[in-house]
């Protein structure tokens, strides 16, 4: 039986960094399920397929090949053999990914792939529905929350550092809109599993969150 840690949280909660650090610390394979949904959105964008063209999406999903691999300590995302680690993080993908990830046909393809990854390895998996849908029986379930304003502040800072021009208000609006889409969708909405441990990272540093989660994992891993 593999050991499974499920981390659900919104974009900007720091869960990517935290999951990576915890994966290294406890020797768990780190699986970013958001990256998988981003691959679907990217593949559709590149083939000029909109989220309303369900037949075309279904066809595309039949042959899609998504792999998460380690390359010299860094995780890379391969879409049909191409390293798309950078391409899946563009604002174009940001803008449409929540529409694609709300689709039943997309989730029906991704969820079994994610479960398979957990059957074969000890993992730490991050996303929105890991504790509720993908691994409801995970050994550790965390719901990592963070206020909208703090998430917008972090994303705004990231954008400015990357040279992307934007205003704080624009970023806040776009984060709000995506949050609504993710929490109100019909299938696998982003909600806390009843038995998940709730942590609010708004006023915590990455280190503080890692330490807190480490204590929780340590209790369960032996
Ligand atoms: O965590 P992220 O921002 O990279 O996620 C990208 C998108 O995928 C976002 O719209 C939420 C969605 N997602 C999801 O619906 N279910 C998951 N398990 C992970 C991500």
């Amino acid at each position: 039986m593999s050991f499974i840690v499920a981390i659900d949280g919104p974009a900007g909660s720091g869960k990517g960094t935290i999951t990576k650090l915890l994966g290294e610390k406890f020797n768990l394979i780190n699986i970013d399920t958001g990256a998988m949904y981003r691959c679907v959105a990217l593949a559709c964008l590149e083939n000029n397929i909109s989220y309303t063209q369900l037949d075309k999406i279904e066809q595309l999903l039949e042959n899609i090949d998504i792999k998460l691999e380690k390359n010299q300590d860094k995780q890379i995302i391969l879409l049909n053999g191409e390293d798309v680690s950078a391409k899946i993080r563009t604002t174009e993908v940001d803008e449409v990914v929540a529409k694609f990830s709300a689709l039943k046909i997309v989730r029906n393809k991704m969820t079994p792939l994610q479960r398979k990854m957990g059957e074969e390895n000890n993992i730490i998996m991050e996303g929105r529905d890991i504790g509720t849908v993908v691994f409801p029986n995970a050994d550790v379930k965390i719901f990592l929350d963070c206020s909208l304003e703090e998430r917008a502040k972090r994303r705004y800072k990231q954008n400015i550092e990357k040279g992307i021009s934007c205003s704080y208000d624009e970023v806040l609006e776009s984060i709000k809109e995506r949050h609504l889409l993710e929490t109100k969708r019909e299938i696998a909405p982003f909600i806390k599993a009843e038995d998940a441990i709730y942590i609010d990272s708004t006023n915590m540093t990455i280190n503080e969150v890692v330490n807190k989660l480490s204590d929780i994992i340590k209790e369960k891993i032996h």
Side-chain angles (χ1 to χ4, degrees):
M1 276 272 281
S2 49
F3 185 80
I4 294 173
V5 179
I7 312 246
D8 289 303
S13 59
K15 70 180 187 315
T17 312
I18 288 156
T19 302
K20 184 172 169 278
L21 292 169
L22 289 170
E24 283 163 7
K25 189 163 175 180
F26 292 98
N27 202 19
L28 303 166
I29 293 182
N30 167 5
I31 299 168
D32 173 2
T33 59
M36 299 172 73
Y37 289 101
R38 285 173 179 274
C39 280
V40 174
L42 176 66
C44 288
L45 278 181
E46 288 185 336
N47 287 283
N48 288 318
I49 300 172
S50 110
Y51 66 89
T52 56
Q53 294 175 296
L54 298 184
D55 287 351
K56 289 195 173 172
I57 299 173
E58 205 152 22
Q59 233 175 2
L60 179 138
L61 287 172
E62 268 175 34
N63 298 311
I64 203 164
D65 176 31
I66 299 172
K67 289 204 176 80
L68 310 181
E69 284 185 0
K70 248 199 156 155
N71 186 350
Q72 296 174 351
D73 247 25
K74 242 184 94 187
Q75 187 162 71
I76 57 165
I77 321 293
L78 298 173
L79 169 61
N80 300 326
E82 181 194 348
D83 180 355
V84 292
S85 312
K87 269 196 196 169
I88 57 168
R89 310 273 168 207
T90 59
T91 36
E92 285 81 6
V93 173
D94 274 355
E95 273 164 22
V96 296
V97 63
K99 297 279 194 198
F100 286 100
S101 61
L103 300 174
K104 190 172 178 183
I105 48 170
V106 172
R107 306 203 76 86
N108 282 351
K109 175 85 184 190
M110 294 300 121
T111 303
L113 280 179
Q114 292 156 4
R115 287 193 181 131
K116 194 156 184 288
M117 292 171 175
E119 274 164 21
E120 294 161 1
N121 304 290
N122 294 330
I123 59 164
I124 180 162
M125 183 176 276
E126 55 147 311
R128 305 290 192 287
D129 64 336
I130 312 307
T132 49
V133 175
V134 183
F135 288 114
N137 298 319
D139 298 273
V140 177
K141 285 197 209 181
I142 306 289
F143 188 88
L144 189 63
D145 210 354
C146 185
S147 75
L148 275 172
E149 290 74 16
E150 177 62 23
R151 287 158 51 207
K153 225 161 77 185
R154 292 177 190 170
R155 175 54 59 89
Y156 172 70
K157 197 168 154 243
Q158 266 174 11
N159 283 356
I160 298 299
E161 278 165 11
K162 280 195 211 162
I164 301 169
S165 78
C166 60
S167 75
Y168 169 79
D169 287 344
E170 271 167 17
V171 176
L172 181 67
E173 272 318 300
S174 127
I175 284 195
K176 256 192 204 163
E177 194 186 317
R178 240 178 296 157
H179 192 76
L180 265 180
L181 276 173
E182 290 172 13
T183 50
K184 302 285 177 230
R185 69 184 175 211
E186 248 173 76
I187 310 143
F190 170 42
I191 46 166
K192 179 185 164 300
E194 245 175 58
D195 55 349
I197 298 171
Y198 181 88
I199 291 173
D200 184 353
S201 71
T202 307
N203 296 309
M204 291 171 82
T205 63
I206 294 281
N207 258 343
E208 284 169 339
V209 179
V210 167
N211 288 340
K212 188 160 184 128
L213 296 196
S214 292
D215 290 344
I216 297 169
I217 295 172
K218 267 185 217 152
E219 259 184 45
K220 298 271 180 170
I221 211 161
H222 294 301

